[in-house]
Amino acid sequence: MKKFAALFLAVVIAVTMLAPAASSAAGTPQYDLGASAQPDHITLTWTQDPLTTQTITWRTDITIARGLVQYAKAADKASFPGKAATVEATVQKFTSDLGDMNIHTATLTGLEPGTEYIYRVGDGTNWSDIHTFTTEASNTHSFKFLIFGDSQSGDPLNPEYKPWHDTIQNAFKTNPDAKFFVNVGDLVEQGQNYVHWNKWFEAAKGVIDTIPAMATQGNHETYNPPDGHSTKPIFWTTQFKLPQNGPEGLKGQAYSFDYGNAHIVMLDSQEEEEKGVAGDILAAQKAWLEKDLQNTNKPWKLVFFHKTPYYNKATRTNEDIKAAFQPLFDKYHVDVVFNGHDHAVARTYPIAGDKFVSSPAKGTIYYLTGRSGNKYYPDLSAKVWDAFFYDPQDQPNYIVAELNGDKLTLRAMKQDGTPIDTYTIDKASGLDTPQTIVPPKYNSTRLVIFGNMLQQPLLPVTPKQVNGQWYIPVRAFMQFLGGNVAWYDDGSVTIVYGKDKVQMASNSARATINGQEVNLPGSSLMDKNTLFIPAADLEEFFGFSYKYDAATNMLMFTK
């Protein structure tokens, strides 16, 4: 009976720790901070050379003002902590929305390359369990690491991170030889909402204390409760201790490091969210990125950031990010750019100068990494730049990246280990597997809107050139986007798209946009009962830009 009572009490305590402490009058769950004298959230990162250093971060409550790391070679485990070295940690008070805690950080230096170590963290009285890490081996040319797309819960009021738990735990169990992992942003749903971090760290326990977490941040790391307004990602930068070699004002948010024969760059794509508090972060990173890529002699160059230049969500573009970074990727031949944000698994053709090229030796692959957490989108689609596309609606996924000398292999896997995609770049031959076959040059001009190619019956009449100017069938264009076009017996035309309303007359180079009269780049025309307007007019009307790709005969529109 006593055993049953004790077991019942333990279950009650465990459930209480996992459940909200209380509910507010408005019905919003209230959570406990969860910090104690016992170290938790133990996380490995690198701030210096992976060959000879290891950075370790953990948290406690504010009663623990001292932090220590005891470590030794794994070969000395039997006598641990008898032969252990001890390093004092720095301690930083961290104020969260759930209360104050202490963040402890120590960097171990002078380690031997290619060596497994054991360690524990604490204050001399309260110690963690014993964990392990392994330094990078000298002359590494073959290694594996894991890549995770967005791990967020999908709902600020529901910190659901079991999908993330299952993804990262399954990935590491299947790939215990992975040297580190990358999460490409949106680790949590609301970055300055600490219950989400509690759940994220708890889900990743056993992995983040064994291999380094070299993360990038996403737009959700900038969001604040209760309304989701944006600031700098303070909770993220406080908890993830990363190389400080990035541009001023963005240290730890943009950085680079080397592992083996790869140079790895992490960028901050949150211009929209951070410009009010950090200025033009894309311009700051462009100058830094140029120098960074200039100065590496590593044969492989891999870049990670959150918002993708080559998207799969219906109409969500990132043209400013593409314009900022892509010329430098082209100039210094970045091999692969990894992104998140859209929660799809997608792989582009090799791209240079925003055009498809026939080989990864001539361009960059943009790889969208899917989702490792709870959130998915209902409006994803394959775009014209995708050589491969998969919508992970059924379950989360992860990427296994394996570098072996001149070959890089990327394997996209479902959470349960089912293969999704396997792709290899052979730098020695300049070829890839599956081999790139670029899209054909179409006989008739194709209309492409937000990466989607319109075909019959959506596009009964194709775009055409008249006197060197492109004209598009406006009704098909607007209907695809959910807009509306009406023309009348007197030759007048009304176009409605979202909140914008355009009124114009056939064969006129003037229009009224939301009540304001403007001059147009060109006038509309009728051809076989189809109304065509100049492509340039769409920029004046709704902000659409366009380009013509002669290699494929595609007229491509975006915003």
Side-chain angles (χ1 to χ4, degrees), residues 46-125:
W46 288 303
T47 55
Q48 301 177 38
D49 189 351
L51 284 162
T52 58
T53 74
Q54 182 64 70
T55 298
I56 306 170
T57 304
W58 67 98
R59 74 151 184 183
T60 64
D61 63 27
I62 58 174
T63 67
I64 306 301
R66 189 186 190 200
L68 302 171
V69 179
Q70 289 186 330
Y71 69 98
K73 292 181 180 179
D76 297 326
K77 184 175 183 178
S79 61
F80 188 82
K83 293 185 178 182
T86 300
V87 171
E88 192 97 15
T90 61
V91 183
Q92 175 184 4
K93 184 180 178 181
F94 174 35
T95 299
S96 78
D97 58 313
L98 296 185
D100 294 341
M101 67 194 90
N102 281 342
I103 302 294
H104 306 257
T105 302
T107 297
L108 315 183
T109 61
L111 304 176
E112 294 184 14
T115 303
E116 184 181 16
Y117 287 85
I118 56 174
Y119 74 96
R120 65 177 183 173
V121 301
D123 65 341
T125 301

Coordinates of all heavy atoms in Angstrom, one line a residue, residues 46-125:
W46 N 29.5 25.4 -30.4 CA 30.9 25.9 -30.5 C 30.9 27.4 -30.6 O 30.2 28.0 -31.3 CB 31.6 25.3 -31.8 CG 31.9 23.9 -31.7 CD1 32.6 23.2 -30.8 CD2 31.4 22.9 -32.7 NE1 32.6 21.9 -31.1 CE2 31.9 21.6 -32.2 CE3 30.6 22.9 -33.8 CZ2 31.6 20.5 -32.9 CZ3 30.3 21.8 -34.5 CH2 30.8 20.5 -34.0
T47 N 31.8 28.0 -29.8 CA 32.1 29.5 -30.0 C 33.5 29.6 -30.6 O 33.8 30.7 -31.1 CB 32.0 30.2 -28.7 OG1 32.9 29.6 -27.7 CG2 30.6 30.2 -28.1
Q48 N 34.3 28.6 -30.5 CA 35.7 28.6 -31.0 C 35.9 27.3 -31.9 O 35.0 26.7 -32.4 CB 36.7 28.7 -29.9 CG 36.5 30.0 -29.0 CD 37.4 30.1 -27.9 OE1 38.6 29.7 -27.9 NE2 36.9 30.6 -26.7
D49 N 37.1 26.9 -32.0 CA 37.5 25.8 -32.9 C 37.0 24.5 -32.4 O 37.3 24.0 -31.3 CB 39.1 25.8 -32.9 CG 39.6 24.8 -34.0 OD1 38.8 24.1 -34.6 OD2 40.8 24.9 -34.2
P50 N 36.2 23.8 -33.3 CA 35.7 22.5 -32.9 C 36.8 21.4 -32.7 O 36.5 20.4 -32.1 CB 34.8 22.1 -34.1 CG 34.4 23.4 -34.8 CD 35.6 24.3 -34.6
L51 N 38.0 21.6 -33.2 CA 39.1 20.7 -33.0 C 39.5 20.6 -31.5 O 39.8 19.5 -31.0 CB 40.3 21.1 -33.8 CG 40.2 20.8 -35.3 CD1 41.3 21.6 -36.1 CD2 40.4 19.3 -35.6
T52 N 39.5 21.7 -30.8 CA 40.2 21.8 -29.5 C 39.3 22.5 -28.4 O 39.8 22.7 -27.3 CB 41.5 22.5 -29.6 OG1 41.3 23.9 -30.1 CG2 42.5 21.8 -30.5
T53 N 38.1 22.8 -28.7 CA 37.2 23.5 -27.7 C 35.8 22.9 -27.7 O 35.4 22.3 -28.7 CB 37.1 25.0 -28.0 OG1 36.3 25.3 -29.1 CG2 38.5 25.6 -28.3
Q54 N 35.1 23.2 -26.6 CA 33.7 22.8 -26.5 C 33.0 23.8 -25.6 O 33.5 24.0 -24.5 CB 33.5 21.4 -26.0 CG 32.1 21.0 -25.9 CD 31.4 20.9 -27.3 OE1 31.8 20.1 -28.1 NE2 30.5 21.8 -27.5
T55 N 32.0 24.4 -26.1 CA 31.2 25.4 -25.2 C 30.0 24.6 -24.7 O 29.3 23.9 -25.4 CB 30.8 26.6 -26.0 OG1 31.9 27.3 -26.4 CG2 29.9 27.5 -25.2
I56 N 29.7 24.8 -23.4 CA 28.6 24.2 -22.7 C 27.8 25.2 -22.0 O 28.3 26.0 -21.3 CB 29.1 23.1 -21.7 CG1 30.1 22.1 -22.4 CG2 28.0 22.3 -21.1 CD1 30.8 21.2 -21.4
T57 N 26.5 25.2 -22.1 CA 25.6 26.1 -21.5 C 24.5 25.4 -20.8 O 24.0 24.4 -21.3 CB 25.0 27.1 -22.6 OG1 26.0 27.7 -23.3 CG2 24.1 28.1 -22.0
W58 N 24.1 25.9 -19.7 CA 22.9 25.3 -18.9 C 22.3 26.4 -18.1 O 22.7 27.5 -18.0 CB 23.4 24.1 -18.1 CG 24.3 24.5 -16.9 CD1 23.9 24.6 -15.6 CD2 25.7 24.7 -16.9 NE1 25.0 24.9 -14.8 CE2 26.1 24.9 -15.6 CE3 26.7 24.6 -17.9 CZ2 27.5 25.2 -15.2 CZ3 28.0 24.9 -17.6 CH2 28.4 25.2 -16.3
R59 N 21.2 26.0 -17.5 CA 20.5 27.0 -16.6 C 20.2 26.4 -15.2 O 20.1 25.2 -15.0 CB 19.2 27.5 -17.2 CG 18.1 26.4 -17.2 CD 16.7 27.0 -17.1 NE 15.7 25.9 -16.9 CZ 14.4 26.1 -16.9 NH1 13.9 27.3 -17.1 NH2 13.6 25.1 -16.7
T60 N 20.0 27.3 -14.3 CA 19.6 27.0 -12.9 C 18.6 28.1 -12.5 O 18.5 29.1 -13.2 CB 20.7 26.9 -11.9 OG1 21.4 28.2 -11.8 CG2 21.7 25.8 -12.4
D61 N 18.1 28.0 -11.3 CA 17.4 29.1 -10.7 C 18.4 30.1 -10.2 O 19.6 29.9 -10.2 CB 16.4 28.7 -9.6 CG 17.1 28.0 -8.4 OD1 18.2 28.3 -8.1 OD2 16.4 27.2 -7.8
I62 N 18.0 31.3 -9.7 CA 18.9 32.3 -9.3 C 19.6 32.1 -8.0 O 20.4 32.9 -7.6 CB 18.2 33.7 -9.4 CG1 17.0 33.7 -8.4 CG2 17.8 34.1 -10.8 CD1 16.3 35.1 -8.3
T63 N 19.2 31.0 -7.3 CA 19.9 30.7 -6.0 C 21.3 30.2 -6.3 O 22.2 30.2 -5.4 CB 19.1 29.7 -5.2 OG1 19.1 28.5 -5.8 CG2 17.7 30.2 -4.9
I64 N 21.5 29.7 -7.5 CA 22.8 29.1 -7.9 C 23.6 30.1 -8.6 O 23.4 30.4 -9.8 CB 22.6 27.8 -8.7 CG1 21.7 26.8 -8.0 CG2 24.0 27.2 -9.0 CD1 22.2 26.4 -6.6
A65 N 24.6 30.7 -7.9 CA 25.4 31.8 -8.4 C 26.7 31.4 -9.0 O 27.5 32.2 -9.4 CB 25.6 32.9 -7.4
R66 N 27.0 30.1 -8.9 CA 28.3 29.5 -9.4 C 28.0 28.4 -10.3 O 27.1 27.6 -10.1 CB 29.2 29.1 -8.2 CG 30.6 28.7 -8.6 CD 31.4 28.2 -7.5 NE 32.8 28.0 -7.8 CZ 33.7 27.2 -7.2 NH1 33.2 26.5 -6.2 NH2 34.9 27.2 -7.5
G67 N 28.8 28.3 -11.4 CA 28.7 27.2 -12.3 C 30.1 26.6 -12.6 O 31.1 27.3 -12.8
L68 N 30.1 25.2 -12.6 CA 31.4 24.5 -12.9 C 31.1 23.4 -13.9 O 30.1 22.8 -14.0 CB 31.9 23.8 -11.6 CG 32.1 24.7 -10.3 CD1 32.4 23.9 -9.1 CD2 33.3 25.6 -10.6
V69 N 32.2 23.2 -14.7 CA 32.2 22.0 -15.6 C 33.4 21.1 -15.1 O 34.5 21.6 -15.0 CB 32.4 22.4 -17.0 CG1 32.4 21.1 -17.9 CG2 31.3 23.3 -17.5
Q70 N 33.1 19.9 -14.8 CA 34.1 18.9 -14.6 C 34.2 18.0 -15.8 O 33.1 17.5 -16.3 CB 33.8 18.0 -13.4 CG 34.0 18.8 -12.1 CD 33.9 17.9 -10.8 OE1 33.1 16.9 -10.9 NE2 34.6 18.2 -9.8
Y71 N 35.4 17.7 -16.4 CA 35.5 16.9 -17.6 C 36.8 16.1 -17.6 O 37.8 16.5 -16.9 CB 35.4 17.8 -18.8 CG 36.6 18.7 -19.1 CD1 37.6 18.3 -19.9 CD2 36.7 19.9 -18.4 CE1 38.7 19.2 -20.2 CE2 37.8 20.7 -18.6 CZ 38.8 20.4 -19.5 OH 39.9 21.2 -19.7
A72 N 36.7 15.0 -18.3 CA 37.9 14.2 -18.5 C 37.7 13.4 -19.8 O 36.6 13.3 -20.3 CB 38.0 13.2 -17.3
K73 N 38.8 12.7 -20.2 CA 38.7 11.8 -21.3 C 37.8 10.7 -21.0 O 37.8 10.2 -19.8 CB 40.0 11.3 -21.8 CG 40.9 12.4 -22.3 CD 42.3 11.8 -22.8 CE 43.2 12.9 -23.3 NZ 44.5 12.4 -23.7
A74 N 37.0 10.2 -22.0 CA 36.1 9.1 -21.7 C 36.8 7.9 -21.2 O 36.3 7.0 -20.5 CB 35.3 8.8 -23.0
A75 N 38.1 7.7 -21.6 CA 38.9 6.6 -21.2 C 39.1 6.6 -19.7 O 39.4 5.5 -19.1 CB 40.3 6.6 -21.9
D76 N 38.9 7.7 -19.0 CA 39.1 7.8 -17.6 C 37.7 7.8 -16.8 O 37.7 8.2 -15.7 CB 39.8 9.1 -17.2 CG 41.2 9.1 -17.8 OD1 41.9 8.0 -17.9 OD2 41.7 10.2 -18.2
K77 N 36.7 7.3 -17.5 CA 35.4 7.3 -16.9 C 35.3 6.6 -15.6 O 34.6 7.0 -14.7 CB 34.4 6.7 -17.9 CG 32.9 6.8 -17.4 CD 32.0 6.3 -18.4 CE 30.5 6.4 -18.0 NZ 29.5 6.0 -19.0
A78 N 36.1 5.4 -15.5 CA 36.0 4.6 -14.2 C 36.4 5.4 -13.0 O 35.9 5.2 -11.9 CB 36.9 3.4 -14.4
S79 N 37.3 6.4 -13.2 CA 37.8 7.1 -12.0 C 37.1 8.5 -11.9 O 37.5 9.3 -11.0 CB 39.3 7.3 -12.1 OG 39.7 8.0 -13.3
F80 N 36.2 8.8 -12.8 CA 35.6 10.2 -12.9 C 34.8 10.4 -11.6 O 34.0 9.4 -11.2 CB 34.7 10.3 -14.1 CG 34.2 11.7 -14.3 CD1 34.9 12.6 -15.0 CD2 32.9 12.0 -13.9 CE1 34.5 13.9 -15.2 CE2 32.4 13.3 -14.1 CZ 33.2 14.2 -14.8
P81 N 34.8 11.5 -10.9 CA 35.6 12.7 -11.3 C 37.0 12.8 -10.8 O 37.5 13.9 -10.7 CB 34.7 13.8 -10.8 CG 34.2 13.3 -9.5 CD 33.9 11.8 -9.8
G82 N 37.6 11.7 -10.4 CA 38.9 11.7 -9.8 C 40.0 12.4 -10.7 O 40.8 13.1 -10.1
K83 N 40.0 12.1 -12.0 CA 41.0 12.8 -12.8 C 40.4 13.9 -13.6 O 41.0 14.3 -14.7 CB 41.6 11.7 -13.8 CG 42.4 10.6 -13.1 CD 43.0 9.7 -14.1 CE 43.9 8.6 -13.5 NZ 44.5 7.8 -14.5
A84 N 39.3 14.4 -13.2 CA 38.6 15.5 -14.0 C 39.3 16.8 -13.8 O 39.8 17.2 -12.7 CB 37.2 15.6 -13.5
A85 N 39.3 17.6 -14.9 CA 39.6 19.0 -14.8 C 38.4 19.8 -14.6 O 37.3 19.4 -14.9 CB 40.3 19.4 -16.1
T86 N 38.5 21.0 -14.0 CA 37.4 21.8 -13.6 C 37.5 23.2 -14.2 O 38.6 23.8 -14.2 CB 37.2 21.9 -12.1 OG1 37.1 20.6 -11.5 CG2 36.0 22.8 -11.7
V87 N 36.4 23.7 -14.8 CA 36.4 25.0 -15.4 C 35.3 25.8 -14.8 O 34.1 25.3 -14.7 CB 36.3 24.9 -17.0 CG1 36.0 26.3 -17.6 CG2 37.5 24.3 -17.6
E88 N 35.5 27.0 -14.5 CA 34.5 27.9 -13.9 C 33.7 28.5 -15.1 O 34.2 28.9 -16.1 CB 35.2 29.0 -13.1 CG 34.2 29.8 -12.3 CD 34.2 29.3 -10.8 OE1 35.1 28.6 -10.4 OE2 33.2 29.7 -10.1
A89 N 32.4 28.6 -14.9 CA 31.5 29.1 -15.9 C 31.2 30.6 -15.6 O 31.3 31.0 -14.5 CB 30.2 28.4 -15.9
T90 N 30.9 31.3 -16.7 CA 30.3 32.7 -16.5 C 28.8 32.5 -16.1 O 28.2 31.5 -16.6 CB 30.5 33.5 -17.7 OG1 29.8 32.9 -18.8 CG2 32.0 33.7 -18.1
V91 N 28.3 33.4 -15.4 CA 26.9 33.3 -15.0 C 26.2 34.6 -15.4 O 26.7 35.7 -15.1 CB 26.8 33.1 -13.4 CG1 25.3 32.9 -13.1 CG2 27.5 31.8 -13.0
Q92 N 25.1 34.4 -16.1 CA 24.3 35.6 -16.6 C 22.9 35.5 -16.1 O 22.2 34.5 -16.3 CB 24.4 35.6 -18.1 CG 23.5 36.7 -18.7 CD 23.5 36.6 -20.3 OE1 24.1 35.6 -20.8 NE2 22.8 37.5 -20.9
K93 N 22.4 36.5 -15.4 CA 21.0 36.5 -15.0 C 20.1 36.8 -16.2 O 20.4 37.7 -17.0 CB 20.8 37.6 -13.9 CG 19.3 37.6 -13.4 CD 19.1 38.7 -12.3 CE 17.7 38.7 -11.8 NZ 17.5 39.8 -10.8
F94 N 19.1 36.0 -16.3 CA 18.2 36.0 -17.5 C 16.8 36.2 -17.0 O 16.3 35.4 -16.3 CB 18.4 34.8 -18.3 CG 17.5 34.6 -19.5 CD1 17.1 35.7 -20.2 CD2 17.0 33.4 -19.9 CE1 16.2 35.6 -21.3 CE2 16.2 33.2 -20.9 CZ 15.8 34.3 -21.7
T95 N 16.2 37.3 -17.4 CA 14.8 37.6 -17.0 C 13.9 37.2 -18.2 O 14.0 37.7 -19.3 CB 14.6 39.1 -16.7 OG1 15.5 39.4 -15.6 CG2 13.2 39.4 -16.3
S96 N 13.0 36.2 -17.9 CA 12.0 35.8 -18.9 C 10.6 36.2 -18.5 O 10.4 36.7 -17.4 CB 12.1 34.3 -19.1 OG 11.4 33.6 -18.0
D97 N 9.7 35.9 -19.3 CA 8.3 36.2 -19.0 C 7.8 35.4 -17.8 O 6.8 35.7 -17.2 CB 7.4 36.1 -20.2 CG 7.4 34.7 -20.8 OD1 8.6 34.2 -21.0 OD2 6.4 34.2 -21.1
L98 N 8.5 34.2 -17.6 CA 8.0 33.4 -16.5 C 8.8 33.6 -15.2 O 8.6 33.0 -14.2 CB 8.2 31.9 -16.9 CG 7.3 31.4 -18.1 CD1 7.5 29.9 -18.3 CD2 5.8 31.8 -17.8
G99 N 9.8 34.5 -15.3 CA 10.7 34.7 -14.1 C 12.1 34.7 -14.4 O 12.6 34.6 -15.5
D100 N 12.9 34.9 -13.4 CA 14.4 35.0 -13.5 C 15.1 33.7 -13.3 O 14.6 32.8 -12.6 CB 15.0 36.0 -12.4 CG 14.5 37.4 -12.7 OD1 14.1 37.7 -13.8 OD2 14.6 38.2 -11.7
M101 N 16.2 33.5 -14.1 CA 17.0 32.3 -14.0 C 18.4 32.7 -14.2 O 18.7 33.8 -14.7 CB 16.5 31.2 -15.0 CG 16.8 31.6 -16.5 SD 15.9 30.6 -17.7 CE 14.4 31.6 -17.8
N102 N 19.3 31.8 -14.0 CA 20.8 32.0 -14.3 C 21.2 31.1 -15.5 O 20.8 29.9 -15.5 CB 21.6 31.8 -13.1 CG 21.6 32.9 -12.1 OD1 21.3 34.0 -12.5 ND2 22.1 32.7 -10.9
I103 N 21.9 31.7 -16.4 CA 22.4 31.0 -17.6 C 23.9 30.9 -17.3 O 24.6 31.9 -17.2 CB 22.2 31.7 -18.9 CG1 20.7 31.9 -19.1 CG2 22.8 30.9 -20.1 CD1 19.9 30.6 -19.3
H104 N 24.4 29.6 -17.3 CA 25.8 29.3 -17.0 C 26.5 28.9 -18.3 O 25.9 28.1 -19.1 CB 26.0 28.2 -16.0 CG 25.2 28.5 -14.7 ND1 25.9 28.9 -13.6 CD2 23.9 28.4 -14.4 CE1 25.0 29.0 -12.6 NE2 23.8 28.7 -13.1
T105 N 27.7 29.4 -18.6 CA 28.4 29.1 -19.9 C 29.8 28.9 -19.6 O 30.5 29.8 -18.9 CB 28.2 30.1 -21.0 OG1 26.8 30.3 -21.2 CG2 28.9 29.7 -22.2
A106 N 30.4 27.8 -20.1 CA 31.9 27.6 -20.0 C 32.4 27.1 -21.4 O 31.7 26.3 -22.0 CB 32.2 26.6 -18.9
T107 N 33.5 27.5 -21.8 CA 34.2 27.0 -22.9 C 35.5 26.2 -22.5 O 36.4 26.8 -21.9 CB 34.5 28.1 -23.9 OG1 33.3 28.7 -24.4 CG2 35.3 27.5 -25.1
L108 N 35.5 25.0 -22.8 CA 36.7 24.1 -22.5 C 37.6 24.3 -23.7 O 37.3 24.2 -24.9 CB 36.3 22.7 -22.4 CG 35.0 22.3 -21.6 CD1 34.8 20.8 -21.5 CD2 35.1 23.0 -20.2
T109 N 38.9 24.6 -23.4 CA 39.9 24.8 -24.4 C 41.1 23.8 -24.2 O 41.1 23.1 -23.1 CB 40.5 26.2 -24.3 OG1 41.0 26.4 -23.0 CG2 39.4 27.2 -24.5
G110 N 42.0 23.7 -25.2 CA 43.1 22.9 -25.0 C 42.8 21.4 -25.1 O 43.5 20.5 -24.6
L111 N 41.6 21.0 -25.7 CA 41.2 19.7 -25.9 C 42.0 19.0 -27.0 O 42.5 19.6 -27.9 CB 39.7 19.6 -26.1 CG 38.8 20.3 -25.1 CD1 37.4 20.2 -25.6 CD2 39.0 19.7 -23.7
E112 N 42.0 17.7 -27.0 CA 42.7 16.9 -28.0 C 41.7 16.6 -29.2 O 40.6 16.2 -28.9 CB 43.2 15.6 -27.5 CG 44.4 15.8 -26.4 CD 45.0 14.5 -26.0 OE1 44.7 13.4 -26.6 OE2 45.7 14.5 -25.0
P113 N 42.1 16.8 -30.4 CA 41.2 16.5 -31.5 C 40.9 15.0 -31.6 O 41.6 14.2 -31.2 CB 42.1 16.9 -32.8 CG 43.1 17.9 -32.2 CD 43.4 17.4 -30.8
G114 N 39.7 14.8 -32.1 CA 39.2 13.4 -32.3 C 39.1 12.6 -31.0 O 39.3 11.4 -31.0
T115 N 38.7 13.2 -29.9 CA 38.8 12.6 -28.6 C 37.4 12.7 -27.9 O 36.8 13.8 -28.0 CB 39.8 13.2 -27.7 OG1 41.1 13.1 -28.3 CG2 39.9 12.5 -26.3
E116 N 36.9 11.6 -27.4 CA 35.7 11.6 -26.6 C 35.9 12.0 -25.2 O 36.9 11.5 -24.6 CB 35.0 10.2 -26.7 CG 33.6 10.2 -26.0 CD 32.9 8.9 -26.0 OE1 33.6 7.9 -26.3 OE2 31.7 8.8 -25.8
Y117 N 35.1 12.9 -24.7 CA 35.2 13.4 -23.3 C 33.9 13.1 -22.6 O 32.8 13.0 -23.2 CB 35.5 14.9 -23.3 CG 36.9 15.2 -23.7 CD1 37.2 15.4 -25.0 CD2 37.9 15.4 -22.7 CE1 38.5 15.7 -25.4 CE2 39.2 15.8 -23.1 CZ 39.5 15.9 -24.5 OH 40.8 16.2 -24.8
I118 N 34.0 13.0 -21.3 CA 32.8 12.9 -20.4 C 32.8 14.2 -19.6 O 33.9 14.8 -19.3 CB 32.8 11.7 -19.5 CG1 34.1 11.6 -18.7 CG2 32.7 10.4 -20.3 CD1 34.1 10.5 -17.6
Y119 N 31.6 14.7 -19.2 CA 31.5 15.9 -18.4 C 30.3 15.9 -17.6 O 29.3 15.2 -17.8 CB 31.6 17.1 -19.3 CG 30.3 17.4 -20.1 CD1 29.3 18.3 -19.6 CD2 30.0 16.7 -21.3 CE1 28.2 18.5 -20.4 CE2 28.9 16.9 -22.0 CZ 27.9 17.8 -21.5 OH 26.8 18.1 -22.2
R120 N 30.3 16.7 -16.6 CA 29.1 17.1 -15.8 C 29.1 18.5 -15.5 O 30.2 19.1 -15.4 CB 28.9 16.2 -14.6 CG 30.0 16.4 -13.5 CD 29.7 15.5 -12.3 NE 30.6 15.7 -11.2 CZ 30.5 15.2 -10.0 NH1 29.5 14.4 -9.7 NH2 31.4 15.4 -9.1
V121 N 28.0 19.1 -15.2 CA 27.9 20.5 -14.9 C 27.2 20.7 -13.5 O 26.3 19.9 -13.2 CB 27.2 21.4 -16.0 CG1 28.0 21.3 -17.3 CG2 25.8 21.0 -16.2
G122 N 27.5 21.7 -12.8 CA 26.8 22.0 -11.5 C 27.5 23.1 -10.8 O 28.2 23.9 -11.4
D123 N 27.3 23.1 -9.5 CA 27.9 24.2 -8.6 C 28.8 23.6 -7.5 O 29.2 24.4 -6.7 CB 26.7 25.0 -8.0 CG 25.9 24.2 -7.0 OD1 25.9 22.9 -7.1 OD2 25.2 24.8 -6.2
G124 N 29.1 22.4 -7.6 CA 29.9 21.7 -6.6 C 29.0 20.9 -5.6 O 29.6 19.9 -5.0
T125 N 27.7 21.2 -5.6 CA 26.8 20.4 -4.8 C 25.8 19.7 -5.6 O 25.5 18.5 -5.5 CB 26.1 21.2 -3.7 OG1 27.1 21.8 -2.9 CG2 25.2 20.4 -2.9

